[in-house]
């Protein structure tokens, strides 16, 4: 199993800043990256081409978009299609991120459509799931994650799984400094693995399940040591080359 040590830059970085960060990561990571790790970076649309160019000779890196709309083209003002991403050489994207769900109101149905459409168009997708704090307190973690998985992956057949990762990101741990505890992470990842196994059989075991939510250099090694954790998705701590390099190589 490959570890996906991923970054989500969110709405940060001008092109110049993005280039400096990509160069810094390449300098610190490229020569030291273990064979079983890759480094997907989800960067703003405006910086995709510049970052891709800088990392062209750094084989462990992947460059992806944070969003796309599940149509080829049409009257969808403000949206970008997978075809347009592929036109600039971008083959990775996120779906289901909690900020898309909770700030922009994306529903499970839309996220499911995006996930299957993106995969069908040849993108590799990191599909994010995670519960709100109220849902956790009400003992609804299993119900919420199961529903997100069922609808989000409803139209994803087993033959697309080599291009899929799932990220478990408890919403209350995103950008808050509060990391989920090892028992909470282990439970959510086991549940996700079990669900993938039930739906897809053996093929479900090969899907990387990433943890996200306030991951820092000092916490990464212990998080990726947890069973069924096959990488991380990092926001805040991915914005500086020094801290994200430490995470990638932890
Ligand atoms: P964070 O963000 O590392 O800043 O908590 C993670 C994410 O939103 O993917």
């Amino acid at each position: 199993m490959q570890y996906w040590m991923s970054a989500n830059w969110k709405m940060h970085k001008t092109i110049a800043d993005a280039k400096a960060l990509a160069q810094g990561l390449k300098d610190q990571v490229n020569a030291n990256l273990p064979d079983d790790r890759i480094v997907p970076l989800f960067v703003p649309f405006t910086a995709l081409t510049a970052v891709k160019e800088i990392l062209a000779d750094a084989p462990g890196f992947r460059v992806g978009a944070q969003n796309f709309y599940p149509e080829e083209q049409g009257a969808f003002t403000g949206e970008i299609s997978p075809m347009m991403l592929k036109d600039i050489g971008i083959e990775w994207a996120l779906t289901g991120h909690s900020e898309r769900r909770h700030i922009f109101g994306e529903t499970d149905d839309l996220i499911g459509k995006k996930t299957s459409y993106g995969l069908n168009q040849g993108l590799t997708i990191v599909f994010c799931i995670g519960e709100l704090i109220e849902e956790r307190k009400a003992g609804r973690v299993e119900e919420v994650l199961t529903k997100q998985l069922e609808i989000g992956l409803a139209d994803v057949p087993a033959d697309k799984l080599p291009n899929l990762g799932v990220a478990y990101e408890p919403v209350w741990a995103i950008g808050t400094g509060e990391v989920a505890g090892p028992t909470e992470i282990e439970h959510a990842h086991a549940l996700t693995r079990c669900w993938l196994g039930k739906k897809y059989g053996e093929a479900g075991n090969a899907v990387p399940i990433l943890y996200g939510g306030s991951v820092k250099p000092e916490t990464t090694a212990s998080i990726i040591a947890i069973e069924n954790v096959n990488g991380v998705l990092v926001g805040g701590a991915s914005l500086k080359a020094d801290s994200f390099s430490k995470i990638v190589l932890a």
Side-chain angles (χ1 to χ4, degrees):
M1 170 86 69
Q2 237 178 5
Y3 282 75
W4 293 8
M5 309 301 283
S6 333
N8 175 7
W9 294 359
K10 307 190 179 183
M11 198 172 75
H12 293 282
K13 307 290 173 189
T14 61
I15 294 174
D17 292 343
K19 283 163 91 170
L21 176 52
Q23 186 65 50
L25 290 174
K26 182 162 94 168
D27 293 345
Q28 294 185 48
V29 167
N30 201 27
N32 307 315
L33 189 67
D35 286 343
D36 66 347
R37 295 191 186 192
I38 58 166
V39 187
L41 306 178
F42 297 96
V43 318
F45 289 125
T46 46
L48 285 169
T49 301
V51 169
K52 178 115 181 138
E53 267 168 32
I54 287 182
L55 297 173
D57 57 351
F61 286 86
R62 307 285 183 276
V63 183
Q66 297 168 17
N67 191 28
F68 62 88
Y69 193 73
E71 293 285 347
E72 187 177 329
Q73 57 183 334
F76 303 103
T77 301
E79 296 297 324
I80 299 271
S81 72
M83 190 185 76
M84 291 164 167
L85 293 175
K86 288 195 298 173
D87 193 34
I88 55 166
I90 297 300
E91 294 173 336
W92 284 62
L94 291 177
T95 61
H97 189 274
S98 92
E99 285 146 25
R100 300 297 319 169
R101 292 176 187 269
H102 301 295
I103 301 176
F104 301 105
E106 288 194 10
T107 59
D108 284 322
D109 285 336
L110 176 62
I111 292 161
K113 191 171 176 211
K114 288 169 76 167
T115 304
S116 61
Y117 188 87
L119 288 165
N120 286 337
Q121 295 302 309
L123 295 178
T124 295
I125 299 286
V126 173
F127 161 61
C128 309
I129 58 173
E131 82 287 356
L132 298 164
I133 192 65
E134 307 83 87
E135 293 166 336
R136 174 164 286 273
K137 284 187 177 151
R140 295 179 51 218
V141 173
E142 180 161 357
E143 174 205 329
V144 170
L145 299 184
T146 302
K147 179 167 177 248
Q148 290 175 345
L149 287 163
E150 265 166 14
I151 305 177
L153 299 180
D155 296 320
V156 173
D159 68 345
K160 296 292 181 220
L161 295 189
N163 294 322
L164 179 74
V166 175
Y168 169 61
E169 300 201 300
V171 179
W172 45 275
I174 296 180
T176 58
E178 194 173 341
V179 189
T183 321
E184 292 160 328
I185 297 177
E186 191 176 334
H187 170 249
H189 282 243
L191 188 161
T192 304
R193 178 68 69 214
C194 182
W195 186 91
L196 289 166
K198 271 195 211 131
K199 172 154 173 146
Y200 296 110
E202 255 316 287
N205 288 332
V207 175
I209 307 175
L210 322 182
Y211 170 78
S214 296
V215 174
K216 300 281 180 288
E218 15 349 317
T219 55
T220 306
S222 61
I223 291 172
I224 59 174
I226 297 170
E227 193 164 8
N228 289 311
V229 177
N230 316 114
V232 287
L233 179 57
V234 187
S238 75
L239 296 174
K240 293 212 167 84
D242 281 351
S243 68
F244 190 59
S245 301
K246 289 195 187 109
I247 288 173
V248 169
L249 300 174

